Amino acid sequence: MVQKRRSDEIADNLSTGQADSAAAHASGKPGRRTRAFDYGELRLLLLAIIAKQSSHGYELIHEVKERLGGTYKPSPGVIYPALTWLYDRGYTEIDLEKGGRKRYSITDEGKAFLSANKSVTDMLLARVVPKAQGKSPRQS
Protein backbone atom coordinates (compact mmCIF):
# COMPACT_ATOMS: atom_id res chain seq x y z
CA MET A 1 0.00 0.00 0.00
CA VAL A 2 1.36 3.41 -0.98
CA GLN A 3 0.91 6.17 1.54
CA LYS A 4 -0.08 9.55 0.09
CA ARG A 5 1.75 12.68 1.06
CA ARG A 6 -0.42 15.39 2.64
CA SER A 7 0.10 17.65 -0.41
CA ASP A 8 -1.12 14.88 -2.72
CA GLU A 9 -4.17 14.35 -0.51
CA ILE A 10 -4.99 18.06 -0.59
CA ALA A 11 -4.57 18.16 -4.38
CA ASP A 12 -6.92 15.16 -4.73
CA ASN A 13 -9.50 16.84 -2.49
CA LEU A 14 -9.22 20.09 -4.42
CA SER A 15 -9.90 18.30 -7.68
CA THR A 16 -12.99 16.61 -6.20
CA GLY A 17 -14.39 19.85 -4.73
CA GLN A 18 -13.47 19.16 -1.12
CA ALA A 19 -11.17 22.16 -0.73
CA ASP A 20 -12.55 23.38 2.59
CA SER A 21 -12.23 20.04 4.33
CA ALA A 22 -8.78 19.55 2.81
CA ALA A 23 -7.59 22.91 4.10
CA ALA A 24 -9.08 22.24 7.52
CA HIS A 25 -7.50 18.81 7.64
CA ALA A 26 -4.10 20.15 6.58
CA SER A 27 -4.13 22.93 9.15
CA GLY A 28 -5.44 20.67 11.89
CA LYS A 29 -8.16 23.20 12.64
CA PRO A 30 -11.60 21.99 11.60
CA GLY A 31 -14.00 24.59 10.29
CA ARG A 32 -11.35 27.12 9.30
CA ARG A 33 -12.19 28.09 5.73
CA THR A 34 -11.38 31.70 4.97
CA ARG A 35 -9.51 34.63 6.42
CA ALA A 36 -11.51 37.13 8.41
CA PHE A 37 -9.66 40.04 6.77
CA ASP A 38 -7.72 40.63 3.58
CA TYR A 39 -4.27 42.17 3.65
CA GLY A 40 -4.34 45.51 5.45
CA GLU A 41 -8.02 45.42 6.39
CA LEU A 42 -7.35 44.60 10.03
CA ARG A 43 -4.99 47.57 10.26
CA LEU A 44 -7.67 49.89 8.92
CA LEU A 45 -10.29 48.44 11.26
CA LEU A 46 -7.99 48.86 14.26
CA LEU A 47 -7.21 52.43 13.27
CA ALA A 48 -10.93 53.21 12.86
CA ILE A 49 -11.63 51.79 16.33
CA ILE A 50 -8.72 53.73 17.82
CA ALA A 51 -10.01 56.90 16.12
CA LYS A 52 -13.23 56.58 18.13
CA GLN A 53 -11.48 55.79 21.42
CA SER A 54 -7.87 55.21 22.37
CA SER A 55 -7.36 51.60 23.42
CA HIS A 56 -4.98 48.93 24.64
CA GLY A 57 -4.18 45.96 22.43
CA TYR A 58 -6.17 43.63 24.68
CA GLU A 59 -9.22 45.90 24.39
CA LEU A 60 -8.87 45.88 20.60
CA ILE A 61 -8.78 42.07 20.52
CA HIS A 62 -12.09 41.95 22.39
CA GLU A 63 -13.63 44.78 20.37
CA VAL A 64 -12.90 42.98 17.07
CA LYS A 65 -14.26 39.72 18.51
CA GLU A 66 -17.48 41.42 19.64
CA ARG A 67 -17.92 43.26 16.34
CA LEU A 68 -17.66 39.95 14.49
CA GLY A 69 -20.19 38.28 16.75
CA GLY A 70 -17.60 35.99 18.30
CA THR A 71 -16.83 34.26 15.00
CA TYR A 72 -13.25 35.53 14.97
CA LYS A 73 -10.95 36.53 17.79
CA PRO A 74 -7.63 37.93 16.60
CA SER A 75 -4.64 36.61 18.48
CA PRO A 76 -2.03 38.85 20.08
CA GLY A 77 0.31 37.56 17.34
CA VAL A 78 -1.92 39.29 14.79
CA ILE A 79 -2.95 42.41 16.72
CA TYR A 80 0.39 43.57 18.06
CA PRO A 81 2.29 43.45 14.74
CA ALA A 82 -0.59 45.43 13.17
CA LEU A 83 -0.38 47.99 15.99
CA THR A 84 3.39 48.18 15.56
CA TRP A 85 2.90 48.81 11.83
CA LEU A 86 0.44 51.63 12.58
CA TYR A 87 2.84 53.15 15.11
CA ASP A 88 5.90 52.83 12.82
CA ARG A 89 4.07 54.75 10.09
CA GLY A 90 3.08 57.50 12.50
CA TYR A 91 -0.65 56.69 12.37
CA THR A 92 -0.84 56.06 16.11
CA GLU A 93 0.99 57.20 19.19
CA ILE A 94 1.59 55.26 22.36
CA ASP A 95 0.88 56.50 25.85
CA LEU A 96 2.68 54.39 28.44
CA GLU A 97 0.57 53.76 31.50
CA LYS A 98 1.21 52.31 34.92
CA GLY A 99 2.56 48.79 34.69
CA GLY A 100 3.97 49.34 31.19
CA ARG A 101 0.61 49.05 29.42
CA LYS A 102 0.43 50.84 26.08
CA ARG A 103 -2.62 52.86 25.08
CA TYR A 104 -2.83 53.59 21.36
CA SER A 105 -4.37 56.81 20.07
CA ILE A 106 -4.67 58.18 16.55
CA THR A 107 -2.43 60.92 15.17
CA ASP A 108 -3.16 63.51 12.49
CA GLU A 109 -1.34 61.26 10.01
CA GLY A 110 -3.59 58.41 11.07
CA LYS A 111 -6.68 60.52 10.50
CA ALA A 112 -5.39 61.43 7.03
CA PHE A 113 -4.71 57.75 6.28
CA LEU A 114 -8.27 56.84 7.33
CA SER A 115 -9.63 59.66 5.20
CA ALA A 116 -7.59 58.51 2.18
CA ASN A 117 -8.98 54.98 2.65
CA LYS A 118 -12.53 56.05 3.49
CA SER A 119 -14.29 53.73 1.03
CA VAL A 120 -12.47 50.65 2.33
CA THR A 121 -12.91 51.75 5.94
CA ASP A 122 -16.65 52.31 5.42
CA MET A 123 -16.96 48.84 3.85
CA LEU A 124 -15.13 47.28 6.80
CA LEU A 125 -17.24 49.08 9.37
CA ALA A 126 -20.41 48.00 7.55
CA ARG A 127 -19.16 44.41 7.53
CA VAL A 128 -18.42 44.34 11.25
CA VAL A 129 -21.31 45.23 13.51
CA PRO A 130 -20.85 47.51 16.52
CA LYS A 131 -21.97 46.08 19.86
CA ALA A 132 -25.10 48.25 20.05
CA GLN A 133 -26.57 46.93 16.77
CA GLY A 134 -26.52 43.27 17.77
CA LYS A 135 -26.87 41.29 14.54
CA SER A 136 -24.40 41.08 11.71
CA PRO A 137 -25.49 41.87 8.15
CA ARG A 138 -25.25 38.15 7.29
CA GLN A 139 -27.86 37.25 9.92
CA SER A 140 -30.55 39.46 8.37
Side-chain angles (χ1 to χ4, degrees), residues 24-139:
H25 181 71
S27 70
K29 297 179 181 177
R32 180 175 267 189
R33 293 189 179 104
T34 60
R35 300 178 103 175
F37 298 101
D38 288 338
Y39 180 78
E41 288 182 338
L42 181 62
R43 295 174 186 160
L44 277 174
L45 177 61
L46 293 175
L47 193 58
I49 293 169
I50 292 168
K52 292 182 188 229
Q53 179 178 347
S54 62
S55 302
H56 298 105
Y58 185 74
E59 293 169 332
L60 292 166
I61 289 170
H62 289 285
E63 179 70 20
V64 171
K65 179 184 175 188
E66 286 183 25
R67 284 176 171 255
L68 291 173
T71 60
Y72 172 70
K73 178 183 178 185
S75 69
V78 171
I79 290 290
Y80 289 105
L83 290 171
T84 299
W85 186 91
L86 292 169
Y87 175 75
D88 287 346
R89 269 118 194 116
Y91 300 149
T92 61
E93 60 187 10
I94 297 172
D95 299 317
L96 287 176
E97 296 180 345
K98 197 184 286 188
R101 292 185 68 188
K102 297 176 182 176
R103 180 171 291 279
Y104 294 85
S105 54
I106 194 163
T107 62
D108 289 338
E109 292 88 1
K111 291 174 186 174
F113 182 70
L114 274 181
S115 179
N117 292 283
K118 184 170 177 20
S119 61
V120 177
T121 304
D122 290 346
M123 181 272 309
L124 281 170
L125 293 173
R127 195 171 89 196
V128 297
V129 179
K131 296 181 251 185
Q133 291 182 1
K135 291 185 178 180
S136 74
R138 292 183 183 172
Q139 292 175 336

